Amino acid sequence: MIDFILDLFYWVFAPVRIFWFFGALAVGTAILSVTRRNPVYAAFFLLLTLGALSVEFLLLHAPFIAAMQIILYAGAIVVLFVFVIMLLSLKEEELGPEPPPLSRIGAAAVALVTFGLLSFPAMVDQGLTVKTSKQGQFRPLTIDVRLDDVFHTVAMRYGLRKSQLTHGSSNAAARLDTKIEYSPAELSARKDALLLVQRLAPAKMEQALRTMLIVSAGSKRQMVASLESYDQRLTLKDGELRLSSDDHEKDRQRVEALTARVKMRADRYGSLEDFVGFLYSRYVVAFELVSVLIFAAIAGVIVLARRRGFMGIDQDQDGPAEGTSPHGGMFL
Amino acid sequence: MSELSFQSVSLISAALFSIGVYGVLARRNLLIVLMSVELMLNAGNLMLAGVARMNAGVLGDSQAGQVMILMSMAVAACEVAVGLSIVIALFRHARSVDVASPKATQLKG
């Protein structure tokens, strides 16, 4: 009985179901939001939409974005909307008339066409969605990577072909050449492995590449090269790169440690540490430019919100005399 | 679809975006038009997160999408601040938030 309940629990709360539930919630509340006549209701439905979207961000491994969604959208933008709605305290006639049915139908038609165009890539399989794994599913974030996979991929990636193995044994070269012909699925997995290690340590990758070239240009049988960065030796044996130390247990541990590091890197995807690493290195200029944009927006808002005649500015302009407003009030 | 897929993300994103398009085109209340623009920005953000997730561990730069979401959120905040002050300016001028009200349509420059 308890097993059944647990099974049911895991079935109901599978990520994909949570995703669809909150997706449907977001779409439903969005429809309600744009169709309400009272802007207060519209703002509250918008708040629900944004909250549902923050769950979607969590499920897409973007926890920081999910937090920002709640802090910035719910905490700032919707509050600003509600504040302005309350400030204006609109009467029924100030909301304006409802749009005529014809314009609504026209807008709905345009929206449907937009939806069709945008969701078309999602409907057709694979053709337009690049680099997704089977059926467009997201690939798992943890990738099982082995060191020899990485070196074979380096060889493949940098075009270590027969023609380039000028001094080496044609025998070993041929073996290496045949060894690096992978099936598309294998190729994809190995490319992932390579790119993960590249991200982990680009300099080490560079050294690995150089070592590969030395190995390929080396003597017939003794294709041994030192790989300083890994502080260990590699041997090309029967067309496969191997760690040459006699201490096999140590080798295994090293490979496991590297694999664990690569895996950890993949697990950290979307974490604040990873995110901020990108934000403050590669995208720091864009980040600073955004602050300029915010400053410009503040200046623009001050200019727009300034009241004619307020504090002696523009006193003799031809604006309407203040104080005659039916609302009275300090701002309007 | 038994697993979370890029298609589902892009479907929801497309739906939200087209709802935003409807709101911008059909509604005459400037406040709700602004809310619809927010919806469209959020649809774009969701798509960016989906693409970033799709490229996770593949491209060296797989967090670029998430960084871009942060930028677009900042842009959205600016847009709302300026937009709402325009709403207040329009209301002062035309005594209505209707974008097609007689006084609002006289606005130039």
Side-chain angles (χ1 to χ4, degrees):
Chain A
M1 184 61 193
I2 191 82
D3 282 351
F4 173 75
I5 291 170
L6 272 179
D7 283 351
L8 191 71
F9 181 84
Y10 286 122
W11 187 84
V12 169
F13 292 102
V16 65
R17 280 186 192 80
I18 298 176
F19 186 88
W20 278 111
F21 174 77
F22 282 98
L25 185 70
V27 171
T29 51
I31 291 173
L32 286 172
S33 170
V34 299
T35 51
R36 291 308 91 184
R37 175 148 175 81
N38 187 337
V40 179
Y41 290 154
F44 276 100
F45 281 122
L46 183 70
L47 187 62
L48 277 177
T49 309
L50 301 176
L53 275 179
S54 119
V55 178
E56 308 284 66
F57 285 131
L58 265 186
L59 288 170
L60 290 170
H61 293 265
F64 180 65
I65 298 298
M68 288 308 288
Q69 177 86 0
I70 289 177
I71 294 169
L72 196 75
Y73 273 103
I77 291 180
V78 174
V79 169
L80 204 59
F81 268 112
V82 173
F83 177 74
V84 168
I85 291 165
M86 296 299 170
L87 180 71
L88 298 179
S89 64
L90 296 162
K91 298 188 187 68
E92 178 62 28
E93 70 273 12
E94 288 164 349
L95 286 171
E98 282 299 292
L102 197 66
S103 83
R104 282 189 194 188
I105 292 166
V110 173
L112 273 178
V113 170
T114 311
F115 178 71
L117 287 175
L118 286 177
S119 60
F120 180 69
M123 294 295 105
V124 298
D125 192 34
Q126 295 297 313
L128 292 172
T129 54
V130 284
K131 283 208 173 176
T132 50
S133 51
K134 53 170 178 145
Q135 303 294 323
Q137 284 167 11
F138 292 126
R139 67 186 76 217
L141 279 177
T142 50
I143 294 160
D144 197 16
V145 59
R146 286 172 303 158
L147 198 56
D148 58 326
D149 284 351
V150 173
F151 287 113
H152 279 301
T153 320
V154 174
M156 184 187 65
R157 164 96 178 217
Y158 291 95
L160 201 64
R161 288 184 299 273
K162 266 181 210 162
S163 57
Q164 283 167 305
L165 298 170
T166 43
H167 308 292
S169 94
S170 54
N171 220 353
R175 277 206 218 102
L176 192 60
D177 208 32
T178 51
K179 193 70 192 168
I180 57 180
E181 277 175 21
Y182 296 122
S183 70
E186 259 185 320
L187 204 67
S188 166
R190 273 154 212 256
K191 272 183 182 164
D192 288 352
L194 172 73
L195 287 161
L196 272 175
V197 175
Q198 254 180 342
R199 240 181 93 188
L200 187 75
K204 286 178 183 176
M205 214 59 220
E206 192 61 39
Q207 235 152 0
L209 162 69
R210 270 198 226 108
T211 311
M212 285 298 297
L213 292 175
I214 295 164
V215 166
S216 67
S219 65
K220 194 168 182 177
R221 292 286 170 198
Q222 290 288 314
M223 288 188 175
V224 181
S226 66
L227 189 57
E228 292 164 55
S229 56
Y230 289 116
D231 191 28
Q232 61 200 18
R233 297 168 78 79
L234 293 167
T235 325
L236 189 67
K237 198 174 167 190
D238 298 333
E240 279 187 20
L241 269 177
R242 293 217 174 121
L243 298 166
S244 71
S245 149
D246 294 330
D247 191 348
H248 290 291
E249 180 58 25
K250 211 171 176 183
D251 287 347
R252 200 184 54 76
Q253 282 173 1
R254 275 183 183 145
V255 172
E256 273 180 4
L258 181 76
T259 311
R261 274 165 68 200
V262 172
K263 268 189 173 172
M264 194 182 74
R265 185 78 195 200
D267 283 341
R268 263 185 10 197
Y269 171 79
S271 69
L272 189 57
E273 190 187 358
D274 223 15
F275 179 84
V276 169
F278 273 100
L279 187 62
Y280 285 142
S281 57
R282 188 157 185 167
Y283 299 102
V284 70
V285 176
F287 186 59
E288 293 302 326
L289 283 177
V290 164
S291 69
V292 175
L293 176 75
I294 292 174
F295 183 75
I298 292 171
V301 168
I302 290 171
V303 169
L304 276 171
R306 194 193 54 191
R307 194 167 51 148
R308 288 231 171 111
F310 183 64
M311 290 175 73
I313 306 163
D314 295 346
Q315 201 113 52
D316 43 6
Q317 298 278 317
D318 54 347
E322 292 298 328
T324 56
S325 130
H327 278 261
M330 192 179 158
F331 300 104
L332 300 168
Chain B
M1 289 177 214
S2 60
E3 286 292 316
L4 207 56
S5 65
F6 179 66
Q7 272 93 335
S8 45
V9 176
S10 68
L11 259 186
I12 288 172
S13 167
L16 284 174
F17 192 88
S18 43
I19 292 165
V21 167
Y22 171 81
V24 168
L25 291 178
R27 297 307 302 265
R28 289 173 58 177
N29 185 337
L30 192 52
L31 283 164
I32 293 180
V33 170
L34 270 178
M35 287 180 202
S36 307
V37 173
E38 286 305 302
L39 268 183
M40 286 156 76
L41 275 166
N42 262 282
N45 285 354
L46 184 65
M47 194 69 174
L48 279 173
V51 174
R53 173 68 184 83
M54 187 173 72
N55 286 332
V58 179
L59 302 178
D61 215 6
S62 57
Q63 301 249 300
Q66 295 193 15
V67 173
M68 217 168 284
I69 293 174
L70 196 69
M71 307 291 165
S72 111
M73 279 181 170
V75 171
C78 293
E79 174 250 313
V80 161
V82 175
L84 286 176
S85 64
I86 290 174
V87 170
I88 292 179
L90 176 80
F91 185 76
R92 276 186 199 159
H93 179 80
R95 288 288 146 204
S96 166
V97 288
D98 181 10
V99 285
S101 69
K103 265 193 134 177
T105 48
Q106 289 167 4
L107 292 175
K108 290 188 198 73

